[in-house]
Amino acid sequence: MHPLYLYNTLTRKKEEFSPIVPGKVGMYTCGPTVYQYATIGNMRSYVFADILRRVLEYNGYSVKMVMNITDVGHLVSDADEGEDKMLVAVGREKKTPWEIARFYTEAFMKDAALLNILRPTALCYATEHIEEMLQMVVELVEKGYAYETSDGIYFDISKFPAYGQLSGIRLQDQLAGARVEENPEKQHHADFALWKKAPKEHIMQWPSPWGMGYPGWHIECSAMSRKYLGDQFDIHTGGVDHIPIHHENEIAQSESCTGKIPARFWMHGEFLLVDGGKMSKSLGNTYTVHDLVTKGFEPLAFRYFCFSAHYRSHLNFTWPALESAQKGLRSLRTMVQRSSRGPEKPGAEEKMGRFRELFLESVNDDLNMPKAVSVLWEAAKADLGPGLARLAGEFDRVLALDLVKGPADEDKVLELSELPPEVQALIEERRLAREAKDWAKSDRLREQLREMGYQVKDLKDGYEVTRIP
Ligand code: AMP
Ligand code: ZN
């Protein structure tokens, strides 16, 4: 009817999806590095992976989703340079790396749950798979794909001619423009660490054939995806930043061991921007889910906001945009929930069938969520009676916006403390204007509040605020 099409970074085109084993999908998602709170940018990536999983399930597949938790190994930049992030966190928080990893893993899982991101079928920790990683490193050394230096074991990319197939970055070009090498023992600057030898003071270290050490970042995903999903599985996901290094390296390691590319489909989520630029600590705009909640937003308003752009496009976060997502979500729920209280409408079933088709067509077109949400809006305006609530319940298997049970606009009188701070400020300004008998200003402010979705009703001795449905 509507086959599922997914964009494959590897082939650079949308392809019709069919799994290796009929009816079943194996999917691996690169998980977080747990030494600080996840940002809303990180969370956009996981909302994308969750949508993919839910759309596969909506299509009737049984999905095994595996996600790693990087609690060791991704200590420096993707290219093995720079400072050890976990050690920075250890210095900052005066805790052991294990305590830090546990704390931020729990925080991440809580944020994911608040965004209705389903728990992976298997959640695997790098520190619990050192054995599997070492086996793979040994295999690569034995097969001649890796070499030893004074500080570790490195993958030799010259032994893997397909290197660069995902990003389209040609090794030859890199060789021509090779930059000054920070590690002179590496044969090519793109050779990467499979295993690092640990200096005595390094906190996390394990025994290996090369003495005490710790794994490189990339090997964890190769070892764990192989363990839980086999030598080849259906889909591998991550953020676009993974394409040029992390996923190239994963492919090189896995394929050199097994002879097969580990996944058939490689899918990547584009970045979230904030105020049109990169999120950065120095700009103070690395927001977390907690920051949104503190400002009075529902976490699900962010999920809904994520659907305003296709996953392969940039999405620009601003507070007004989140505000309008929150309003949109509440109005949608209000329409859905009111519909369930009304009488059945003749002809609704037929119209619902058409909306079902359009919804499936949208999500199956490489997860076109902006289109899928617009189909729901059309349905909400199509006078379906209680059919709308039934339809929204079905679509919510993918959207997961709590459409049927979640908080909606009501005629409930709101306390000042329940309102976002900017609304509180306008209400106070209006109260002062009325005290000063500045009726024009008071009316102007009432209109401004109305545009923001709030109705202010003046009483003999005060006022009442309600949300406009
Ligand atoms: P990390 O914990 O740094 O390994 O990142 C976790 C995930 O978040 C990875 O899949 C990254 O690609 C993704 N990511 C990081 N920053 C952003 C961003 N601004 N927008 C979307 N995804 C991001
Ligand atoms: Zn990975």
Side-chain angles (χ1 to χ4, degrees):
M1 207 177 39
H2 289 294
L4 174 58
Y5 283 90
L6 299 173
Y7 183 86
N8 189 350
T9 307
L10 188 64
T11 56
R12 294 166 184 74
K13 55 177 190 279
K14 273 190 218 174
E15 288 177 47
E16 186 174 338
F17 176 77
S18 73
I20 298 167
V21 179
K24 295 192 171 155
V25 178
M27 164 178 171
Y28 185 91
T29 295
C30 287
T33 313
V34 282
Y35 63 93
Q36 62 184 14
Y37 287 110
T39 66
I40 53 173
N42 300 140
M43 295 323 280
R44 182 191 184 199
S45 270
Y46 298 112
V47 167
F48 148 62
D50 182 65
I51 285 295
L52 172 61
R53 172 192 180 163
R54 286 174 180 271
V55 166
L56 288 162
E57 287 174 349
Y58 198 71
N59 278 271
Y61 294 115
S62 143
V63 180
K64 179 170 181 187
M65 182 190 185
V66 179
M67 190 169 88
N68 63 306
I69 296 286
T70 301
D71 51 358
V72 65
H74 187 189
L75 303 176
V76 288
S77 72
D78 290 7
D80 299 326
E81 287 155 14
E83 58 187 359
D84 183 322
K85 294 168 186 168
M86 187 62 93
L87 292 190
V88 172
V90 166
R92 181 182 69 215
E93 304 191 13
K94 311 272 177 277
K95 289 181 188 157
T96 68
W98 284 271
E99 287 167 337
I100 288 172
R102 195 179 321 119
F103 177 84
Y104 288 111
T105 303
E106 275 170 24
F108 171 76
M109 294 313 289
K110 260 189 226 154
D111 283 354
L114 287 171
L115 293 172
N116 277 352
I117 293 171
L118 295 171
R119 250 187 107 82
T121 329
L123 191 68
C124 38
Y125 294 82
T127 48
E128 291 172 9
H129 296 79
I130 303 291
E131 204 46 52
E132 287 83 351
M133 293 187 225
L134 270 172
Q135 274 169 20
M136 218 162 177
V137 179
V138 167
E139 194 176 340
L140 287 167
V141 171
E142 282 172 0
K143 288 184 172 167
Y145 287 101
Y147 58 90
E148 184 174 357
T149 69
S150 59
D151 76 341
I153 308 299
Y154 285 82
F155 187 90
D156 179 354
I157 57 165
S158 71
K159 299 277 168 54
F160 188 70
Y163 194 86
Q165 58 191 306
L166 197 60
S167 57
I169 298 171
R170 291 176 46 220
L171 194 56
Q172 286 85 340
D173 299 343
Q174 289 188 359
L175 277 171
R179 57 205 158 87
V180 180
E181 190 45 69
E182 288 180 24
N183 182 343
E185 290 181 70
K186 274 182 12 180
Q187 293 168 10
H188 185 282
H189 71 78
D191 287 352
F192 55 90
L194 297 168
W195 185 261
K196 293 291 284 253
K197 298 177 185 172
K200 266 207 180 59
E201 64 280 10
H202 197 93
I203 310 173
M204 295 175 115
Q205 47 178 286
W206 293 266
S208 81
W210 310 278
M212 295 302 284
Y214 56 94
W217 172 38
H218 317 293
I219 196 73
E220 89 179 57
C221 291
S222 286
M224 296 197 278
S225 65
R226 188 183 189 186
K227 173 169 179 177
Y228 294 99
L229 295 166
D231 287 354
Q232 195 177 53
F233 51 94
D234 298 294
I235 309 177
H236 196 309
T237 78
V240 285
D241 55 327
H242 289 159
I243 301 172
I245 299 177
H246 181 50
H247 287 170
E248 293 287 15
N249 293 355
E250 259 189 74
I251 293 173
Q253 296 163 153
S254 297
E255 197 171 332
S256 300
C257 279
T258 67
K260 290 181 192 164
I261 189 155
R264 301 200 325 182
F265 278 74
W266 292 79
M267 296 179 65
H268 296 95
E270 185 47 91
F271 265 36
L272 179 82
L273 304 176
V274 172
D275 297 325
K278 245 184 113 166
M279 261 188 282
S280 86
K281 280 248 162 65
S282 56
L283 294 174
N285 63 5
T286 51
Y287 303 125
T288 62
V289 171
H290 179 75
D291 293 331
L292 310 190
V293 172
T294 309
K295 290 220 178 204
F297 292 99
E298 264 184 80
L300 290 183
F302 178 71
R303 186 175 172 101
Y304 182 80
F305 169 72
C306 287
F307 301 160
S308 59
H310 188 267
Y311 77 87
R312 283 191 288 119
S313 304
H314 277 124
L315 172 61
N316 185 30
F317 177 88
T318 62
W319 290 108
L322 185 65
E323 181 85 46
S324 79
Q326 176 75 80
K327 266 188 359 203
L329 176 59
R330 292 279 169 126
S331 318
L332 205 44
R333 286 197 193 123
T334 307
M335 289 161 102
V336 167
Q337 293 173 19
R338 279 202 185 135
S339 78
S340 64
R341 298 193 283 269
E344 290 291 341
K345 295 287 167 93
E349 277 301 331
E350 205 184 320
K351 285 193 239 168
M352 281 161 64
R354 179 79 196 118
F355 287 121
R356 266 189 203 107
E357 271 216 26
L358 284 172
F359 184 81
L360 184 65
E361 190 182 335
S362 310
V363 296
N364 279 7
D365 179 15
D366 191 30
L367 321 180
N368 189 339
M369 299 313 292
K371 181 82 195 302
V373 169
S374 78
V375 171
L376 178 58
W377 272 104
E378 275 177 49
K381 291 171 188 160
D383 198 22
L384 300 175
L388 172 61
R390 294 198 290 276
L391 203 60
E394 287 171 30
F395 294 174
D396 225 18
R397 283 166 47 207
V398 174
L399 302 172
L401 293 169
D402 293 356
L403 293 169
V404 180
K405 293 262 158 61
D409 297 323
E410 306 158 26
D411 301 332
K412 176 180 154 234
V413 175
L414 298 163
E415 299 290 333
L416 208 55
S417 59
E418 290 178 273
L419 299 166
E422 53 276 27
V423 174
Q424 291 185 24
L426 289 178
I427 286 172
E428 176 60 9
E429 203 181 330
R430 185 169 178 276
R431 190 185 64 77
L432 294 173
R434 291 181 69 79
E435 260 183 15
K437 303 208 184 318
D438 186 347
W439 310 119
K441 184 170 182 193
S442 149
D443 285 348
R444 224 172 32 244
L445 286 164
R446 183 211 295 274
E447 196 43 42
Q448 200 177 337
L449 283 159
R450 167 173 274 289
E451 276 164 19
M452 293 169 79
Y454 296 92
Q455 169 83 44
V456 190
K457 193 166 140 202
D458 294 303
L459 307 171
K460 251 209 286 215
D461 52 350
Y463 56 85
E464 259 177 21
V465 186
T466 51
R467 245 183 220 113
I468 301 168

